[in-house]
Amino acid sequence: MAATLAGVPARPRRLLASRRTRIGILYALPAVAYLLALFVYPIFSTLLLSVQDLDGSLTLHWYADALTGVNLSVLFTTLRIAAETALFSLVIGFLLANAISRLRPLPAALAMLIVVVPHFISALVRTYGWIIMLGDKGLVNQLLAGLGVPGAPYQLLYNEIGVVIGTTAMMLPYTVLLLYGVMRGVDRRLLAAAASMGAGRLVIFRRVYLPLVAPGLATAGLLSFILALGYYITPALMGGPNQTMIASLINQQVMKQNQWNGAAAEGVILLLLTFAGLLLVKLVSSLGEAKKRSAS
Amino acid sequence: MTTSPIGRRALLRGAAALAALPALAACGTGTSRSSSASGGSGAGGGKTVAVRNSGGAYGEALKKAIYDPFTQETGITVQVANLDGAQVLAQIKQGRPQVDLIDNSMMDHAKFVRENALEQLDLDRLKNVKTAQLPENLITEYAVAVNFYAQCMAYRTDAFGGRKPESWADFWDAKAFQGGRSMCNPDADLPELEFALLADGVAMDKLYPLDVDRAFKAMERIRGEVKKFWDSGPLPGMLLTRQEVTMATVWHGRLADLFKQGVPVAAQLNGARRQFQGYAIAKGAPHLDAAYQLFDYSIRPEVQARLAMTYPTNPSSPLAYDKISEEVRNGLAGAPQYYDKGFDADTEWWLKNEEAVTKRWLGWARG
Amino acid sequence: MAEFGVSTPSVGVAGAKPAASTGKALSVVALRKTYGDAVAVDEASMEIAAGEFVTFLGASGSGKTTTLMMIAGFCEPDSGTITVGGRDVTRLAPQKRNLGFVFQQYLLFPHMTVGENVAFPLQLRGVPKEEIRRRVGQTLEMAGLSGFAGRRPRELSGGQQQRVALCRALVYRPPVILMDEPLGALDKKLRDQLQVEIKTIQQELGLTVIYVTHDQEEALVLSDRIAVMRNGRIEQFDTPRELFERPKTAFVADFLGAANFLPGRVEQQSDAHTLVRLDHSGGLLKTRRHDLAAGVAVTVAVQPGRLRVCPPDDGFCTGTVETATYVGSVVRAGVRIDSRDTSRDTSRDTSRDTGRDTGRDTGRDTGRGAPLLRLEVPAGRGPVTGERVGICADPDDVNLFPGEQGR
C-alpha cells in the first residue's frame, strides 16, 4: 500500500493537464449529470422544503416538530426496530448462509429460493400467512400449547416481536445472499490449514472464518439496518401503534395531510440517520483495524 | 483502505442487492396505468376522457359497470389512471393534469378544494343530479357524491353464546362480549371517535362537533382489548376469520367475501358511519366536455344500481335501490331498512380536525 | 509445553533438535483408502525415523497426496493405522495430531499479517507473548523474512509467501512436518532456490519432513528416503541411491533413472552371478546373482551412466554409435545394438532424432527391431558417431527383473 502511495503527490497537476484525463471527464459528464438530476437536486430541494414555512420563510420548526413528543418517540422506535432487525437478520442470515454454503448447488439454489420467496408475495397474502403462523390460534402457538409450554399462547403478532419477525424475514434475502457470496469466497482450505496447526473448531471459527467474513457481516448488517430504517409496511402489518416507524409518519403527512415540509424534515432526519449508520460501521471497522495494527 | 479483496467483493454484492431493490419494490406497488374500453374507441372519433380511481376490485367494477357501457353509448374512450391523491394534486398544481375526472372520497375532494385544484361545477351540465334525487348535503360546489361506504361493527356469531351485540356500547363491553377487538388505524380511515362517543351514550344526532376529550376518554376504556389497529381493508376480516378477535370495526363492503366463504360473522349496522365517494373535475382538465358527460352518466340511478350489482357499494341516489335485486339490496348498508341506523361522517368537522386528532390518536395509541 | 520452553540461542530457531531425535517419528501400517471402486491407497506401510526427510514420489493419481492427507487427518483411511511418536492418531481430528502442514497454495491467513500468521500456532498452544514474539522473530529471520512481519500476505511474492507458510508450520516444532508439493506453484529458478533452503533448514533443525512431489529431481535433491508410489502402492521405499542403483521393479528403475531395458533369458547361475542371454544381440550379460531358473524370461535394466564403451570383443554386445552429444562433463551417446540377425542391422529407420531424445524411451522399441542403448560416458574418451563399439557393464550395476517388463 505504501508503495502505491509513494508516487502520488506530484501527479494531480499533470493528471489534469493530460488529454486522457480531459477525455475521461467528458465521458464522466453523463453520469455526473444523471447524479445531479436524480440525487443531488431532489436532496437539495428536500432540504430546502424542510426549512421552509408554509409562507416560504425560513424556519426550523419542522425539525423541532419532528424531534419532540410522539414524533421523537417514533424516531427512537424506528432506530430500535432497525437495529433489532439488523441484528436478527444478521444472526439468522449468517446461520442460513453458512448452512446453504455447505449444500450442493441444487439444494442450495432451492434453499435460496425459499428465503427469497416472501419478497414476491403480496403484502396482503403475507399478512394472512403471518396470522396463520403466529396468531393466538396460529400454528406456532398451537404447537407450543400442544407441547404444554407454559404461558402459551404467546402474543407474537401486533407487538415488537411480530414486527421484528416480519422485518427480519424481509431482510433475510439480502443478508443471506450477501453473506452467502462472501462465504463462498472464503477458501475452505484456510480452515483446514488452521486445523493442521492445531486449531479447534471454535478457534477456527473465531480467529479465521469470522474475520474472513467480517466485511460481509458489516455490509449485511448495515444494509439491513438502513433498509429497515425506511420500512413501514411490514411494521404496520405486524406491529401496533408502538411500532410506528418514521416512514409511516412521512407517508401519513404526504398522503393524508399533503404536508410536505414536515415530511421533508423527517426525510432529512432519516437520511442523516442512514449516514450516521454508515459512519458508525466505518468507525468500528477502522477502530478494529487500528487496534490490530498497534497489537502487531 | 481497510477492505480486503473479500470486503470489496462483498460491497459490490451489496451494491448489486441495492440495485435490485427498485425491481423488488415494483412488484409490491400497483400504480400502473391501464387504458380502458379500447374496444369502443372507433365510434367517438378519438374523443377520450381520463379518470382517476383507486383501482383494484373497485376499479374493475367501475370499468365493467360504468366506463364500458359509457363508451358504448357515447363513443368516448375512458382512460384510467390509478394515481395517488398527492400525485394528482402535484399534476394539477403544475397545470398539466393527466386526468379529467377524479373519483375520490368527498373528504379528499374537500382537501383539493383547499388547494384550489378543482373546477367549480356547472350543475346545469349535470342534469342527473336532479333526476337522481340526491340528498342536498351530497352536492357541493366542486364535487358530487355518487356512492358511499359504511364503517360498522362485525362480530363472530359463534363467540357469544348466541347473543348479538346491538350497539357500540356492547362493543365496548368486554365483559359481556369477551374476546379481542380490532379497530381502525388512521392509516386506513378516520379515527373512530364517533363510535366511542356513541358507546359513551351520546345520541347519534348530537355527535358533531365531536367532543374529542370525551371520545379519547372512552377510547381509553377499550384500548386494552384492541389487539390490532387495522390499516388495510381486508385485515379485520382476516382477524375475525382466524378467531384472533371476536369483534372488529370493518368496512361493510368487505364482509361480502366472508359471507361467501361461510365464515360465521355478522354485521351490526347500528351506529354505522357513512363516508361518501364522489366525482370532481380537475382544474385545467383537458377534456372538460367528456368529463362532464361521464360525470353525469355516473349519477344516473340505473348506472349507480349497476355498479352496486357489480361491487358492494352503496348508491347515493335513493332511486337506485329500486333497481337493485332484493338479494343484493339486502346486503347493502344503504338499503332502506338500514339507512336510518347509521350516520354521515361530518366532512367539514373532520377536515378541520383530522390532523390534530390523528396526531393525538398516535400519542394515545402508543400509550 | 516443555519443548517450547527450551532455548539454546546458538541454533537457528528455538533451540535443540526435537527431543525424539532417535527412534520412530511416524509409522504407517497397512493404510488403505478407496473411493467407490477405485483404490486410492493400497496397503501402504512405512516407518519414518525422526529427523528424516521422506518424499512421496509418484505421478498424479499414484496415491501420494491421499496418503499425506490421511497422515494429516484431512481424510480418513478405510483401514490401517497411523502412529506419530508412538501415539495412534488414525482416528484423530487434524488439530489433535500436532503436525505441521505446508500447502501448495500457501494458505496464509489473508486477514493476518505475516507475523500474526506465524504467531497463530503458538498462540493456540498458549505460549507466552514474549516467547511468541521472540520465536516468530527468529523463525522469520531464519527464512530471510525479517522486516516482513507487519506485511500482509498478499503484499508478498509467491516465494516469500511459501517461506512464511514454512515458518508457520515449523515455528511450533511439530514432530513431523507434511508438505504437499509446496513448490509446485513456483517457477523453476525459485523452486531450485527454495529446495536448498528447505533442505538446509530441515537439516539445521533436525526436522522430520514428509514431502510430496511428482518431480523426481526435487525428490532426489531433498530426500533421505523416497517412497516411489504407483497405483496406490508403495513400489519401493529407499534412499535415492538404493532406488537408483537397486531398483526393485522395472517401474522404479524407469521412473528414477530412465534406465536402458533389454529383454533376455536366464542362461545359467553361478555362486555370485546370474548370466543372461540377451534376446537381440545374443550376447551374455553378467549380473548379480538372482535366484532364477535357467530359461526364465527376464528384463535387465542398466542406467545410462553405468554402461561403458569397450573394445567390441569385450562387451556383452556390440553396436554402432548413432549419436554422440557433448554435454559438458559427459557425452551422451546412442548406440544401436547389432542384432543376432545381422541382415536387419542396417535396416533401422533413422527418422527419429535420437540425439535429442534423452533416452526416456530407449529400449521401448525392443519388439520392433534392434534397441538403441543410451550411454553417458566421461567426455574424455567419448565415442564418435558411426564408430562400432562394444558395451560393457559392471555386474553390480545391472538390475534384473523377472518377466517381460520394461514398458
Side-chain angles (χ1 to χ4, degrees), chain A residues 70 73 77 124 128 131 135-137 158 174 181-182 215 227 236-237 239 241-242 249 252 255-258, chain B residues 6-7 10 13 18 21 24 84 89 111 115 186-187 227-229 231 234 238-239 242 244 355 362-363 365-366:
Chain A
V70 173
S73 80
T77 306
L124 194 68
Y128 201 54
I131 294 174
D136 282 358
K137 300 230 164 39
Y158 314 129
Y174 302 109
V182 175
L227 287 178
L237 290 176
N242 282 322
L249 285 189
Q252 269 176 20
M255 293 303 177
K256 295 238 176 232
Q257 290 147 27
N258 195 38
Chain B
I6 285 171
R13 289 210 183 82
L18 274 174
L21 276 180
L24 288 170
D84 281 331
L89 197 57
K111 286 178 193 172
E115 303 284 337
D187 277 351
K227 237 177 141 177
K228 172 69 180 170
F229 290 97
D231 45 20
M238 285 182 197
L239 293 169
R242 293 289 311 168
E244 295 293 323
E355 201 175 324
L362 188 59
R366 288 172 70 82

Side-chain angles (χ1 to χ4, degrees), chain B residues 49-53 67 78-81 99-101 103 279 294:
Chain B
V49 58
V51 57
R52 178 272 166 193
N53 67 42
Y67 306 153
V78 179
Q79 305 237 320
V80 180
V99 295
D100 306 295
L101 201 57
D103 183 332
Y279 281 104
L294 178 57

Side-chain angles (χ1 to χ4, degrees), chain C residues 378-401:
Chain C
R381 33 190 184 103
V384 184
T385 311
E387 189 185 347
R388 260 185 61 83
V389 294
I391 310 273
C392 305
D394 191 277
D396 249 13
D397 292 334
V398 179
N399 292 295
L400 187 142
F401 310 109

Side-chain angles (χ1 to χ4, degrees), chain B residues 128-196:
Chain B
N128 291 323
V129 168
K130 283 254 156 47
T131 53
Q133 294 180 13
L134 296 187
E136 276 301 311
N137 64 332
L138 301 187
I139 306 156
T140 71
E141 266 183 282
Y142 294 91
V144 173
V146 289
N147 57 53
F148 69 86
Y149 68 90
Q151 199 166 346
C152 67
M153 179 194 318
Y155 58 94
R156 280 198 71 99
T157 50
D158 56 0
F160 312 120
R163 281 177 306 131
K164 285 201 305 194
E166 296 289 344
S167 66
W168 288 110
D170 288 345
F171 188 92
W172 252 248
D173 188 349
K175 284 210 183 68
F177 296 92
Q178 291 195 340
R181 303 287 195 268
S182 181
M183 294 179 76
C184 97
N185 180 302
D187 277 351
D189 209 332
L190 298 171
E192 291 157 329
L193 299 189
E194 293 93 333
F195 301 159

Side-chain angles (χ1 to χ4, degrees), chain C residues 282-300:
Chain C
L284 275 175
L285 177 58
K286 196 190 269 185
T287 75
R288 277 169 283 127
R289 189 195 147 84
H290 291 79
D291 287 326
L292 290 167
V296 171
V298 294
T299 303
V300 294

Side-chain angles (χ1 to χ4, degrees), chain A residues 16 22 59 71 73 104 122 124 126 134 139 152 189 205 216 238:
Chain A
L16 265 180
R22 270 176 284 149
T59 176
N71 290 344
S73 80
R104 271 169 298 141
S122 81
L124 194 68
R126 241 186 305 143
L134 302 174
L139 289 175
R189 293 172 309 184
F205 179 79
M238 311 277 295

Side-chain angles (χ1 to χ4, degrees), chain A:
Chain A
M1 199 111 304
T4 55
L5 285 175
V8 164
R11 292 189 64 194
R13 237 171 299 143
R14 241 189 309 145
L15 253 174
L16 265 180
S18 90
R19 209 173 85 85
R20 269 181 65 188
T21 312
R22 270 176 284 149
I23 289 175
I25 289 173
L26 207 66
Y27 278 132
L29 218 61
V32 172
Y34 175 88
L35 287 175
L36 280 176
L38 284 162
F39 290 99
V40 180
Y41 169 70
I43 287 175
F44 269 94
S45 57
T46 305
L47 265 174
L48 191 68
L49 213 56
S50 73
V51 293
Q52 260 179 347
D53 213 340
L54 293 175
D55 57 8
S57 60
L58 288 182
T59 176
L60 283 176
H61 87 251
W62 302 115
Y63 285 97
D65 257 15
L67 296 171
T68 51
V70 173
N71 290 344
L72 184 67
S73 80
V74 166
L75 193 62
F76 282 130
T77 306
T78 306
L79 281 174
R80 190 181 65 230
I81 289 176
E84 287 163 350
T85 304
L87 182 73
F88 282 103
S89 58
L90 210 52
V91 171
I92 298 171
F94 185 92
L95 296 175
L96 276 175
N98 195 29
I100 293 174
S101 71
R102 283 153 191 273
L103 292 176
R104 271 169 298 141
L106 196 70
L110 211 68
M112 203 65 93
L113 197 70
I114 291 169
V115 172
V116 177
V117 150
H119 262 280
F120 301 100
I121 295 175
S122 81
L124 194 68
V125 175
R126 241 186 305 143
T127 311
Y128 201 54
W130 283 124
I131 294 174
I132 292 173
M133 279 288 292
L134 302 174
D136 282 358
K137 300 230 164 39
L139 289 175
V140 173
N141 271 322
Q142 300 245 305
L143 192 74
L144 290 176
L147 292 172
V149 176
Y154 296 104
Q155 171 99 29
L156 300 174
L157 271 180
Y158 314 129
N159 53 18
E160 197 133 328
I161 297 172
V163 171
V164 174
I165 291 174
T167 49
T168 300
M170 293 305 286
M171 271 336 145
L172 275 182
Y174 302 109
T175 53
V176 169
L177 277 170
L178 232 151
L179 291 175
Y180 176 72
V182 175
M183 286 169 179
R184 288 300 294 253
V186 170
D187 190 342
R188 298 242 152 219
R189 293 172 309 184
L190 285 171
L191 313 183
S196 79
M197 55 196 82
R201 279 168 181 278
L202 210 68
V203 176
I204 293 175
F205 179 79
R206 197 172 54 82
R207 296 282 314 271
V208 181
Y209 193 57
L210 210 55
L212 287 175
V213 297
L217 281 175
T219 313
L222 188 65
L223 181 72
S224 43
F225 178 76
I226 290 172
L227 287 178
L229 275 182
Y231 256 44
Y232 76 92
I233 293 175
T234 304
L237 290 176
M238 311 277 295
N242 282 322
Q243 285 78 43
T244 305
M245 302 280 275
I246 193 166
S248 178
L249 285 189
I250 295 175
N251 185 56
Q252 269 176 20
Q253 293 199 43
V254 172
M255 293 303 177
K256 295 238 176 232
Q257 290 147 27
N258 195 38
Q259 177 36 267
W260 290 81
N261 308 77
E266 277 165 0
V268 170
I269 290 171
L270 199 56
L271 191 70
L272 290 177
L273 285 176
T274 307
F275 283 141
L278 277 167
L279 208 68
L280 193 76
V281 166
K282 192 83 199 154
L283 212 69
V284 167
S285 68
S286 61
L287 214 70
E289 192 68 13
K291 210 175 127 196
K292 254 181 141 183
R293 289 265 144 145
S294 68
S296 75

